[in-house]
Amino acid sequence: MKRPAMFSLYPAVLLLSAAVASVAAASTAGASPGQEPRLRSPSATVLPNAQLASPQIARRVEALLKQMTLDEKIGQLVQYNDQGFSATTADGDQALAANPETKTRVDAMQLAREGRLGSMLNVVGAEKTRAFQEAAMHSRLHIPILFGADVIHGYRTIYPVPLGLAASWDTRLVEDVSHMSATEATTAGVKWFYSPMVDISRDARWGRSTEGAGEDPYLGSAMARAYVRGYQGSDLSKPDSVAASVKHFAAYGAAEAGREYNTTDMSDIRLRQVYLPPYKAAVEAGAATMMSSFNALNGVPATASPYLMDEILRKEWGFDGFVVSDYTAVMELINHGIALDAAAATEKALKAGVEVDMMSHFYDTQIPKLLDEHRLSMATVDEAVRRVLRVKFALGLFEHPYAQGAEVTHAVPGHRPLVRRAAEESFVLLRNAPVDGKAVLPLGEGVKSVALIGPLADASNEMQGAWGGGARTPDVVTLRQALERRMQQRGGHLLFAQGTDIDSDSAAGFDAALQAARQADVVVMALGESSAMSGEAGSRAHLDLPGKQQQLLEQVAATGKPVVLLVFSGRPLVLDWAARHVPAIMAVWFPGTEAGNALANVLFGDVAPSGKLPMSFPRAVGQEPLYYNQFPTGRPPGAADLSRPPAGDTRFISRYIDVPNDALFPFGYGLSYSSFAYSDVRVSRRALPLAGANRPDARSLLTVTATLTNTGKREATEVAQLYVRNLGASVEQPVRSLKGFQRVTLAPGESRQLRFELGFPELSFYDVRSRQIVEPTHYTVWVGGSSQATQQAEFDVTR
Ligand code: BGC
C-alpha cells in the first residue's frame, strides 16, 4: 500500500482492464449526458492573460501551425510518460488496450523523434528530459516537449502537504515555497507542475483533502493565487518559472460520501459559490493550464463537459491556456457510460475543450478517423494545438528547451530554513491544558527527560506526505533525531519507543512504551495516519487513529504523565477521546524535509504555533461532510444544548440525537502560546446604497475595523479572521462566510487596529439565475480568531 517515493506511477494496468470490462457494460447502459445547468451572463468583463495572449506569441503560433502536418498537430495533443503507453492488461494480454481498436504499444522516444509527442508526465531528472528533448528538437519542426510533473509540495526539498500549508494562512509563504520548488524542478527540465490542487473539500473522508486548502472558498482562492504567483512568477519565460496546472476542474472534492472518483451533484449556486471560486482565482492570477477532473458533475463527466470547459472556463473567465485531461480520464468516459467507444470519447472530450489527452491513447488513434467521418473539424484540432503552442512559446521553451543550471538532486541546504518555517507555521495547536497549574506546552526548563512514543516519531518516509515529489528519504530530519539533539544540548535525555505500527493489530511494543513513559517527565506521542492513507485513492470511512494507536494512547495517558499528542495526518481526524483526556494536542499534518527540527522548535517554544484549521475536525464521522459555512435551515438549534439527548423543545430541530452539530475543532481555530483579545469591531458605514454596491467592479465600499491585543506574555502571531452573513436575500445564505484574514505579529501587551475592506466580491452571492449580485439585505460582520468569532457589527445595503 506504499506510494513509491518518487513520482507515483498510476496503476494504469488496472484502469485499462477496468475500461475493457466496462465497454460491454456501457454499450447496454446507454449514454446519459444529463442536464446542463442554465447558462448565465458573466458578471465581469474577462481580460486576456497578458502572458499567453500577446500578439507576438499569436504570430509565432500561427506561423508554426501553418507548417504542421496532421500527425504533428495531433502529437501536441497527446501526453505519455517515459514508458509510453503500454497496452498490457492485468492478465498479461498484450493485445488488448484501453482503446480496443489499437493493439500497438507506444514508444514515447520514437514519437519524440518524429515530432509527435507534445508533452510528458513525471519524467524525472535532467538526463532523461534531455534525451527526450533532444529527440524532439531534432524532429522536423523542432517543437519542444513540455515536461510536467506532480510537484505538489516540493521537488527535492519538501514542505508540508497543501492542507498543512493552508493552515498557515500565509499566502506570502505559499508563494515563496512554490517559487522555491520551481527553482529546483526546472534544473531537471520540468517546466509544468500539476499543481495547485484547489478542489474544495468539506468531507474529511476524501483522501485528497490533503492536497488542497480545505473547506473554504475564500481561503482556497487566496491559496490558489499564491501558488500560481509562486510557480509562474511575473514572467513565464524566466528559466525558473513553471506553468501551473490548476486541478481538478471541477468540483472533484464534492465526491459523494467522500469516496474517491465518485459522482458529484449540486446546484449551480453551490457550484459557483463554493467550488468554483478557487479555480477562477487561479485563472485570474494567470494560470497557464488546467486539468480536467475524473468526476461527473450533475451527470456530465467533467472531461466531457462543455458547460465547465467552454461556457465557464473559456467564455466566462476568458481562459487562454489549455486543459489537460487527468490520467486516462478521456478513456474513462467509456466507464462513465457516456461514450460507447474510443472515438466517441475523443469527440466528446476534445469538443468540450480538453486539449491534451493524458495517457488514454485515444486522441492519437481517433482524431484522424473523426476528421475523416466529419465528426470533428480541423478548426477544433487547430484551436487545441494553438492553445498548447501558446503555452510553450510563453514558457520560452523554443529558446531554452533544456534544463538549465546545476541539477538539484537532494534537498537544498539553503532551502531548509524556508521549509522549516513553513512546517512551523502549519502546525495547529488544538489543546494546551494545564497540568499542575501550568500549560504543558511549550516544554519548560524543568523537562529533563522526554519519552517519545509512536510510529511516526522516526518515520522519515512518512514525513514527506502523499506527493513527495522527487524527495529523498535520507534528507528528512525526523522528530526522534531532532529531539535527541535537543535533549542532549539541554543536558537531558530522550527515551524512544515506537509502541506500535501505524496500522497493525500488534500490541507487542506497548510494554516498552509504557516503561519509557513512566521514566519521563513528559511524553510526546507521534501518532496518526501513514502518508499513503490520504492523497489519491485514500478515502477512509473511519477517521480515528488507525491500528492499535488509540489503545496505546489510552494506556500511556493512564500512566498519569503529561502527554503531548502530535497528530500526523492528511485530513481531519476524530480526536474526541484525546480532546477529553490528553492535555496537549497539535495537528502537524505531514511537515516535510525539516519535520523534526520544526516540531522541536515549536515543542520547546522557540516558535509559538500560529496555524489555524483550514478544515473542521469532526466529533464523529457521521457528521461528514462538515463545514462551518452551513445554511441555517428552518429549524436551527439556536441556544439548545446539543450535548444532551433531545427532550421536549430540543427534539424537532436540525440536530443529531447523539452528537452536537458543531465541529470538535472548528474551521479557523488554533491556539498560541500567547493569548489574543478582539474588541471594538466597527463598520465605517451603517448603510450602503444598493446602486453603488451591486457593481462587479465595486471595491472598498465599507471598512471593518477591530482592535487586536496580545494579552499574553510572549510575542506571537495571530490569524485574524473576518466573517460575513447577510439576511433577507432572495436565496438562503450561510450562517457566516470568511471574507478576510490577516496574519498579525504582536509583542506582549501590544494592540493593533485591523482593517478589512468589503466590496462587491465580499458582499455578493449567486441568485437562482446564477447571477452574482448584491441585494438590499442586512449584514453582520464578525472579527475574531476562528469561525466562532463573537465580536460583531452590522450594516444594511439599502434600496
Ligand atoms: C491525479 C492527478 C495527477 C495525475 C498525474 C492522476 O491520477 O489525479 O492529480 O496530476 O495523476 O500523475
Side-chain angles (χ1 to χ4, degrees):
M1 284 284 288
K2 281 258 149 57
R3 184 180 280 282
M6 295 300 261
F7 298 96
S8 72
L9 291 179
Y10 206 71
V13 163
L14 287 178
L15 283 164
L16 300 186
S17 48
V20 172
S22 67
V23 170
S27 63
T28 49
S32 167
Q35 287 211 319
E36 296 289 56
R38 85 172 51 84
L39 302 186
R40 60 185 282 284
S41 51
S43 59
T45 333
V46 289
L47 293 175
N49 179 326
Q51 295 211 58
L52 297 180
S54 81
Q56 297 98 302
I57 288 184
R59 275 195 297 277
R60 294 179 75 181
V61 167
E62 293 310 319
L64 186 53
L65 193 61
K66 276 201 198 99
Q67 304 173 51
M68 293 171 79
T69 62
L70 178 59
D71 275 352
E72 285 163 343
K73 287 179 183 175
I74 294 173
Q76 291 306 310
L77 310 183
V78 298
Q79 176 170 117
Y80 292 107
N81 59 30
D82 54 352
Q83 283 130 44
F85 173 85
S86 165
T88 315
T89 57
D91 57 6
D93 185 346
Q94 300 264 325
L96 289 173
N99 175 348
E101 289 156 52
T102 306
K103 299 183 172 59
T104 50
R105 288 176 74 90
V106 169
D107 177 346
M109 186 56 90
Q110 185 59 26
L111 284 186
R113 279 192 208 105
E114 292 168 5
R116 291 168 58 210
L117 183 54
S119 57
M120 300 192 76
L121 76 148
N122 293 342
V123 175
V124 181
E127 197 184 320
K128 269 195 188 171
T129 53
R130 173 168 281 274
F132 280 101
Q133 197 67 299
E134 272 174 357
M137 295 314 285
H138 286 97
S139 67
R140 194 178 76 90
L141 292 174
H142 321 292
I143 304 176
I145 293 173
L146 175 55
F147 295 97
D150 288 296
V151 179
I152 313 286
H153 47 106
Y155 177 61
R156 301 287 191 202
T157 323
I158 306 299
Y159 39 91
V161 291
L163 190 63
L165 210 51
S168 73
W169 298 54
D170 188 343
T171 52
R172 182 67 225 206
L173 172 77
V174 173
E175 198 174 325
D176 289 348
V177 290
S178 304
H179 177 66
M180 180 206 84
S181 60
T183 64
E184 292 188 6
T186 47
T187 68
V190 176
K191 286 292 283 179
W192 185 25
F193 287 0
Y194 303 127
S195 173
M197 191 203 88
V198 303
D199 306 328
I200 293 295
S201 55
R202 295 165 144 198
D203 192 329
R205 291 172 296 183
W206 192 53
R208 301 200 83 165
S209 303
T210 192
E211 297 176 52
E215 73 188 44
D216 184 72
Y218 187 89
L219 178 61
S221 301
M223 290 292 152
R225 281 188 285 269
Y227 280 104
V228 174
R229 284 196 303 264
Y231 294 150
Q232 300 195 168
S234 55
D235 181 358
L236 268 175
S237 72
K238 281 197 176 153
D240 60 0
S241 294
V242 297
S245 187
V246 180
K247 66 191 192 184
H248 307 83
F249 193 62
Y252 182 26
E256 275 182 11
R259 200 187 77 215
E260 184 63 305
Y261 313 125
N262 205 4
T263 289
T264 66
D265 211 299
M266 66 180 75
S267 70
D268 206 47
I269 293 181
R270 175 164 290 193
L271 177 68
R272 290 174 180 281
Q273 200 127 317
V274 178
Y275 288 88
L276 292 187
Y279 309 106
K280 184 168 189 244
V283 170
E284 285 168 352
T289 82
M290 304 277 282
M291 187 184 289
S292 74
S293 58
F294 288 127
N295 59 288
L297 172 66
N298 301 334
V300 185
T303 300
S305 169
Y307 181 59
L308 287 175
M309 302 297 160
D310 195 47
E311 284 301 326
I312 292 180
L313 183 59
R314 292 188 174 74
K315 298 212 172 86
E316 287 185 26
W317 300 352
F319 177 65
D320 294 305
F322 71 83
V323 176
V324 59
S325 79
D326 203 345
Y327 202 114
T328 62
V330 178
M331 176 275 285
E332 290 171 31
L333 297 178
I334 295 177
N335 293 356
H336 277 287
I338 68 147
L340 295 184
D341 56 21
T346 302
E347 182 183 349
K348 289 197 174 191
L350 195 55
K351 281 186 176 167
V354 173
E355 280 91 13
V356 175
D357 169 9
M358 183 194 283
M359 294 300 292
S360 286
H361 195 30
F362 273 21
Y363 279 17
D364 36 359
T365 52
Q366 303 304 309
I367 289 177
K369 173 180 156 165
L370 291 170
L371 288 168
D372 283 350
E373 292 174 4
H374 304 290
R375 288 163 68 185
L376 197 65
S377 72
M378 191 53 103
T380 304
V381 175
D382 283 350
E383 177 56 15
V385 177
R386 217 173 253 129
R387 284 175 176 268
V388 173
L389 292 179
R390 196 182 283 161
V391 171
K392 290 188 174 183
F393 279 117
L395 276 168
L397 270 184
F398 287 81
E399 291 74 29
H400 306 289
Y402 301 107
Q404 293 181 55
E407 183 175 3
V408 172
T409 53
H410 295 72
V412 178
H415 292 169
R416 283 182 181 269
L418 181 60
V419 300
R420 191 183 317 135
R421 180 160 72 79
E424 289 160 1
E425 288 191 17
S426 77
F427 303 150
V428 185
L429 183 62
L430 299 174
R431 186 170 146 85
N432 194 14
V435 170
D436 297 333
K438 195 174 168 299
V440 177
L441 289 176
L443 301 178
E445 281 306 314
V447 174
K448 291 294 174 210
S449 64
V450 171
L452 176 63
I453 296 171
L456 286 137
D458 200 24
S460 36
N461 190 37
E462 301 298 344
M463 297 299 106
Q464 299 168 128
W467 291 97
R472 286 180 69 259
T473 303
D475 293 344
V476 172
V477 180
T478 67
L479 181 56
R480 183 184 181 185
Q481 291 162 351
L483 287 189
E484 241 152 27
R485 257 201 308 273
R486 184 66 80 123
M487 292 311 288
Q488 231 167 29
Q489 285 161 4
R490 292 162 60 101
H493 62 283
L494 183 76
L495 302 150
F496 168 72
Q498 185 176 311
T500 186
D501 290 324
I502 293 173
D503 199 359
S504 96
D505 285 340
S506 169
F510 277 30
D511 282 348
L514 292 170
Q515 216 178 345
R518 287 190 198 101
Q519 290 169 31
D521 299 327
V522 169
V523 184
V524 174
M525 297 198 71
L527 306 182
E529 300 182 312
S530 68
S531 54
M533 290 179 79
S534 56
E536 185 171 356
S539 293
R540 291 185 69 196
H542 301 281
L543 294 178
D544 41 15
L545 295 168
K548 284 240 172 286
Q549 295 182 83
Q550 177 67 29
Q551 287 93 320
L552 179 64
L553 176 65
E554 290 179 18
Q555 292 190 25
V556 170
T559 62
K561 295 287 175 161
V563 174
V564 177
L565 170 61
L566 302 178
V567 182
F568 293 79
S569 70
R571 54 154 64 82
L573 295 181
V574 172
L575 301 171
D576 59 331
W577 187 91
R580 280 177 280 124
H581 298 98
V582 178
I585 308 174
M586 192 155 70
V588 300
W589 322 107
F590 294 105
T593 308
E594 280 289 297
N597 291 331
L599 285 165
N601 287 348
V602 173
L603 288 173
F604 286 98
D606 307 346
V607 175
S610 58
K612 301 275 188 174
L613 292 180
M615 228 176 141
S616 306
F617 273 49
R619 297 172 186 276
V621 185
Q623 292 178 301
E624 296 291 336
L626 179 65
Y627 46 94
Y628 79 95
N629 49 354
Q630 302 170 358
F631 294 108
T633 80
R635 296 196 179 187
D641 179 0
L642 302 186
S643 65
R644 292 172 188 277
D649 282 357
T650 68
R651 175 150 194 128
F652 294 98
I653 54 181
S654 180
R655 65 169 296 177
Y656 299 100
I657 60 174
D658 51 1
V659 72
N661 289 358
D662 61 347
L664 179 62
F665 300 113
F667 176 82
Y669 170 84
L671 302 171
S672 166
Y673 293 157
S674 194
S675 51
F676 294 93
Y678 290 83
S679 56
D680 305 324
V681 176
R682 298 217 165 93
V683 288
S684 59
R685 301 164 72 179
R686 296 300 304 267
L688 278 182
L690 178 64
N694 191 21
R695 291 184 14 219
D697 59 349
R699 299 289 183 279
S700 301
L701 292 165
L702 177 140
T703 308
V704 181
T705 51
T707 305
L708 173 64
T709 306
N710 181 345
T711 51
K713 294 197 171 59
R714 61 171 289 164
E715 183 187 278
T717 300
E718 164 77 336
V719 180
Q721 300 155 47
L722 170 95
Y723 293 87
V724 170
R725 177 185 199 180
N726 72 329
L727 288 172
S730 58
V731 177
E732 185 171 14
Q733 295 298 309
V735 293
R736 58 177 65 185
S737 303
L738 181 74
K739 294 296 175 188
F741 63 86
Q742 297 171 18
R743 279 178 63 88
V744 186
T745 303
L746 295 177
E750 188 184 352
S751 290
R752 180 150 334 145
Q753 196 186 52
L754 312 174
R755 293 171 67 86
F756 297 92
E757 301 294 328
L758 297 182
F760 181 84
E762 292 79 23
L763 302 179
S764 58
F765 55 90
Y766 287 88
D767 71 1
V768 288
R769 293 167 63 199
S770 298
R771 291 175 311 184
Q772 194 177 1
I773 53 163
V774 172
E775 290 178 354
T777 56
H778 182 72
Y779 283 81
T780 308
V781 293
W782 292 265
V783 180
S786 86
S787 56
Q788 294 182 339
T790 52
Q791 299 284 311
Q792 67 181 71
E794 312 203 0
F795 66 94
D796 290 290
V797 171
T798 53
R799 274 187 199 287

